[in-house]
Amino acid sequence: MSRRVTPALLASALLMAGLVGCSADARKNESWQAPAEPPPAATPTPQVPAGTAPKSAFGVGVRQLKLNRDGRALPVTVWYPAAGKTGGAAKRSATAATGRFPVVMFSHGLTGRPEDYATLLTRWAAAGFVVAAPTFPHTSRGSDGNILDVLNQPADVSYALTQVLALDGRAGDGLRGRLATDRVAAAGHSAGGVTTIGLFTASRDERLDAGVVFAGTAVGVGTAFAGATAPQLFVHGELDEVVDYAAGKAAYDKVPWPKALLSLPKGDHGRALLGDAATLRVVADTSVEFLRWSLYGDAEAKKRIETDATRGDIATFDNHL
């Protein structure tokens, strides 16, 4: 499915949304506010095969893939469950743990890079997920900063996903036989949140079973969520100075599938959202349990989602999972 958006219209919309400078160090911009919409009717819970997520934490390995999509350089950082000791920093070229692990594709924000999110993404890997994060050619730190290129990023993610899943059958690769290729999610922050929403709307990738949107909005990619049911977790700071909370909430309201919104009353766009220890703990624990439920089919994990989300009065939780 595709949708034609003129460059001028997209540029105007993105600038109004305040996505310029949406990394953790972004400065305050004018924010676009979308009108609130009534929640859509509930839909059946997806038929995820029942299973149990790993209970013990893994060590974490990290590696790099050098990909290129039609002249668009797409280096991908991959964090994965590793054999050996748990905790500590990720180890390059560590041996992958035994098992088959769901895949999560993560998209960084404008002027960001995958390593900016390593604290969160290594926690996902330690919980039993292979996390693959492309560095986008025109919106990463050090690039030309062409905000219009956000529209091309859903296709980048789909291409990178195809290459990552292919590792499961590649002779001699360290991830051969380690990927649950039928259990895949997409996640992203800010412009990466726009990218992620696009993967469920204008550029629907039917391989995706779930999504996690951090401080994102649907500007440029629309809210026509399409395809098979895919649960969504939205996370947004109510003091977001870059992407207005109302804009994220408007996109969330349009999701027709099982969904939840983790709202952070004291959270801003970057540092308070994913930076301070107490907030990071709530965000990490809630997102881990959501992924355990939506990708492993772990019913007990689903029961823990709201408990983790409301721990310590750091966040409020709108739960329609």
Side-chain angles (χ1 to χ4, degrees):
M1 177 182 295
S2 64
R3 177 177 295 131
R4 184 177 298 277
V5 180
T6 66
L9 178 60
L10 177 62
S12 175
L14 288 172
L15 289 172
M16 284 193 297
L19 288 180
V20 175
C22 67
S23 69
D25 295 322
R27 296 180 180 179
K28 187 173 183 179
N29 293 286
E30 291 296 323
S31 297
W32 171 69
Q33 293 193 16
E37 296 285 347
T43 57
T45 301
Q47 298 300 311
V48 178
T52 303
K55 292 182 172 60
S56 299
F58 295 92
V60 177
V62 61
R63 60 184 288 192
Q64 300 289 328
L65 302 178
K66 294 183 178 181
L67 304 182
N68 191 295
R69 180 175 78 87
D70 298 329
R72 295 170 61 83
L74 285 173
V76 176
T77 304
V78 181
W79 289 273
Y80 56 92
K85 297 181 179 179
T86 61
K91 297 181 180 179
R92 294 193 176 277
S93 302
T95 302
T98 301
R100 284 192 175 270
F101 305 104
V103 175
V104 182
M105 301 299 298
F106 184 85
S107 299
H108 64 72
L110 191 69
T111 73
R113 283 179 172 270
E115 57 265 30
D116 298 341
Y117 305 89
T119 302
L120 175 65
L121 303 186
T122 53
R123 292 195 184 192
W124 288 358
F129 301 91
V130 173
V131 184
T135 299
F136 296 112
H138 295 290
T139 63
S140 59
R141 187 165 54 255
S143 70
D144 59 15
N146 179 10
I147 195 170
L148 292 175
D149 202 58
V150 171
L151 192 62
N152 293 315
Q153 291 180 179
D156 289 338
V157 174
S158 288
Y159 170 81
L161 173 58
T162 297
Q163 304 308 310
V164 170
L165 295 181
L167 300 178
D168 187 66
R170 183 171 299 169
D173 193 272
L175 290 176
R176 184 179 186 184
R178 296 292 186 265
L179 305 181
T181 58
D182 58 342
R183 303 187 182 208
V184 183
H189 173 241
S190 195
V194 176
T195 301
T196 299
I197 292 174
L199 286 161
F200 294 95
T201 57
S203 302
R204 178 65 159 111
D205 190 322
E206 291 288 356
R207 295 172 295 182
L208 297 175
D209 301 299
V212 184
V213 177
F214 298 98
T217 176
V219 64
V221 295
T223 55
F225 289 87
T229 298
Q232 303 287 306
L233 172 65
F234 277 54
V235 180
H236 214 120
E238 294 183 23
L239 302 182
D240 195 320
E241 74 283 16
V242 178
V243 178
D244 196 83
Y245 176 81
K249 177 66 162 53
Y252 167 76
D253 286 341
K254 288 291 189 178
V255 175
W257 307 315
K259 61 185 178 180
L261 171 61
L262 183 70
S263 300
L264 304 166
K266 297 181 180 180
D268 63 15
H269 191 68
R271 293 186 183 279
L273 180 64
L274 299 174
D276 72 88
T279 301
L280 176 61
R281 187 182 310 111
V282 169
V283 171
D285 289 351
T286 303
S287 57
V288 163
E289 297 296 6
F290 172 80
L291 291 170
R292 283 171 169 162
W293 166 63
S294 59
L295 296 184
Y296 276 100
D298 192 321
E300 292 303 312
K302 183 180 181 182
K303 296 177 183 178
R304 296 191 295 265
I305 295 174
E306 186 157 0
T307 299
D308 289 333
T310 56
R311 183 184 301 130
D313 295 325
I314 291 172
T316 60
F317 195 58
D318 183 58
N319 188 2
H320 298 279
L321 296 175

